[in-house]
Amino acid sequence: MANYYCEYCGTKSATITTLTANSCHRHPLGKGKHKLYEGSEKSSYSCKHCGTSSGTITGLTGNSCHRHPNGPSKGKHAPSL
């Protein structure tokens, strides 16, 4: 059975409906719903801005990115597909 993950925080859900129906504490606007990560499950996830790696989306997106488009440390790492 497939797992679905939030691109912003790494929250895992069994269905897309359940995932996207709930609020995300790491939403870039400060308030909003989870966003579906459209990549596949991997053993390691890399940031699309700087290349930093982590074993989970949660671990990756929990830290600030020094190459974020909004400026250094003005956004979190974002998983590449």
Side-chain angles (χ1 to χ4, degrees):
M1 182 161 178
N3 292 309
Y4 301 96
Y5 296 90
C6 174
E7 183 176 312
Y8 301 137
C9 70
T11 296
K12 180 170 72 169
S13 180
T15 67
I16 296 171
T17 304
T18 303
L19 179 70
T20 58
N22 295 300
S23 296
C24 179
H25 66 283
R26 288 193 188 144
H27 193 280
L29 299 177
K31 187 176 184 181
K33 304 287 184 181
H34 290 296
K35 178 183 176 188
L36 176 64
Y37 169 68
E38 297 187 45
S40 60
E41 285 189 276
K42 304 173 186 175
S43 59
S44 180
Y45 297 88
S46 298
C47 175
K48 65 182 174 184
H49 305 300
C50 70
T52 297
S53 300
S54 179
T56 64
I57 295 175
T58 303
L60 182 68
T61 60
N63 298 299
S64 296
C65 179
H66 65 281
R67 289 192 183 160
H68 194 276
N70 293 341
S73 300
K74 294 198 176 177
K76 304 289 186 182
H77 291 295
S80 63
L81 298 178

